[in-house]
Amino acid sequence: MKVLVIASDELKEELMACPISPGLELQWITKPADFQSNDTPAACIDLLFENNKERIDWLKQLPVSLIIINAVVTTLKEIKENFIRINGWPTFLKRPVIEATGENDLLKQKSEELFFQLGRKTEWVNDTTGFITPVIIAAIINEAFITLEEKVSVEEEIDTAMKLGTNYPYGPFEWSKKIGLKNIYSLLDTLSKQKDRYRPCDLLKQKAMA
């Protein structure tokens, strides 16, 4: 089975972190222009998905039966296309479990089979902004920035305390750098329009916009 994957070097490394099936052939590109029309993949995984008409139209014209997009903030309700949406943020993609959402049962089954070949179990969740894990981590990162803003402690001490106290793989500031502070801010800002408790603190916003 041939699968077209649009990814950065970082996300490619994360996707390959789990053992994959020998029958799976992954074709890697970094942008749509790199795709050759004579290629015939069975599916496409767009880990660099951008929610704009040009990208969506390009994906729709691909000769594939399954399109999987990395879209943490944007929901399928907003995209209004029959895609499978996953949490493919840096540090989450390399886990043996993939958070995913979809509306078509056949496509969900195909996705499960594909992710199984990629060494992963699929966890189906509701089509909500941020999935589950990214919302939790973004909220923790926001609280860490509030603590820093109030001069309660410094970044290194907060990171150490969180890793030792919760056994998390990264401290909140370390995690925000790996995920990308703009990603964190975008998620919190979107969530805050629904619930004020997610409102990003001024320091986080300032650093994200810098």
Side-chain angles (χ1 to χ4, degrees):
M1 179 181 183
K2 181 185 288 187
V3 179
L4 175 68
V5 185
I6 308 171
S8 62
D9 289 340
E10 177 188 20
L11 292 178
K12 176 181 178 179
E13 183 178 347
E14 289 206 14
L15 190 64
M16 298 298 288
C18 298
I20 70 169
S21 169
L24 199 60
E25 180 184 349
L26 301 180
Q27 177 188 351
W28 301 93
I29 62 174
T30 58
K31 56 184 183 298
D34 295 333
F35 177 68
Q36 302 297 318
S37 58
N38 59 337
D39 289 327
T40 55
C44 173
I45 302 175
D46 188 353
L47 297 177
L48 301 178
F49 176 75
E50 299 174 8
N51 184 28
N52 58 56
K53 186 178 185 301
E54 182 181 10
R55 185 57 157 252
I56 292 171
D57 286 348
W58 182 83
L59 287 169
K60 286 167 60 179
Q61 60 81 39
L62 287 173
V64 300
S65 60
L66 174 64
I67 295 174
I68 298 171
I69 57 171
N70 172 20
V72 174
V73 178
T74 308
T75 65
L76 292 176
K77 295 182 188 70
E78 298 169 88
I79 297 170
K80 298 178 181 177
E81 295 296 340
N82 204 16
F83 298 159
I84 295 294
R85 174 180 159 239
I86 66 167
N87 166 23
W89 266 4
T91 74
F92 295 107
L93 187 62
K94 62 185 177 184
R95 300 185 305 167
V97 175
I98 287 284
E99 285 177 279
T101 189
E103 298 176 353
N104 183 289
D105 289 339
L106 177 60
L107 294 182
K108 289 170 72 173
Q109 181 183 342
K110 288 183 177 181
S111 299
E112 284 188 6
E113 293 169 355
L114 174 54
F115 282 121
F116 180 77
Q117 292 186 73
L118 287 166
R120 290 162 173 82
K121 175 185 175 183
T122 309
E123 188 69 36
W124 294 105
V125 299
N126 293 331
D127 183 34
T128 56
T129 302
F131 292 97
I132 297 173
T133 314
V135 171
I136 294 171
I137 299 305
I140 290 172
I141 290 170
N142 196 39
E143 289 297 323
F145 271 92
I146 292 172
T147 302
L148 182 65
E149 190 175 48
E150 294 176 349
K151 296 182 169 49
V152 174
S153 187
V154 297
E155 287 189 19
E156 293 79 6
E157 291 177 352
I158 295 171
D159 275 349
T160 300
M162 286 297 294
K163 283 190 283 188
L164 294 178
T166 64
N167 200 32
Y168 278 15
Y170 313 105
F173 296 102
E174 185 181 6
W175 220 333
S176 71
K177 291 169 186 172
K178 289 180 176 294
I179 295 171
L181 204 49
K182 286 186 177 180
N183 287 331
I184 298 296
Y185 173 74
S186 176
L187 175 55
L188 289 170
D189 185 52
T190 302
L191 290 170
S192 69
K193 293 176 173 60
Q194 305 164 19
K195 296 181 180 179
D196 188 63
R197 71 170 181 266
Y198 292 113
R199 182 172 58 85
C201 84
D202 291 339
L203 180 60
L204 188 153
K205 179 179 179 179
Q206 176 186 335
K207 288 184 174 292
M209 296 295 101

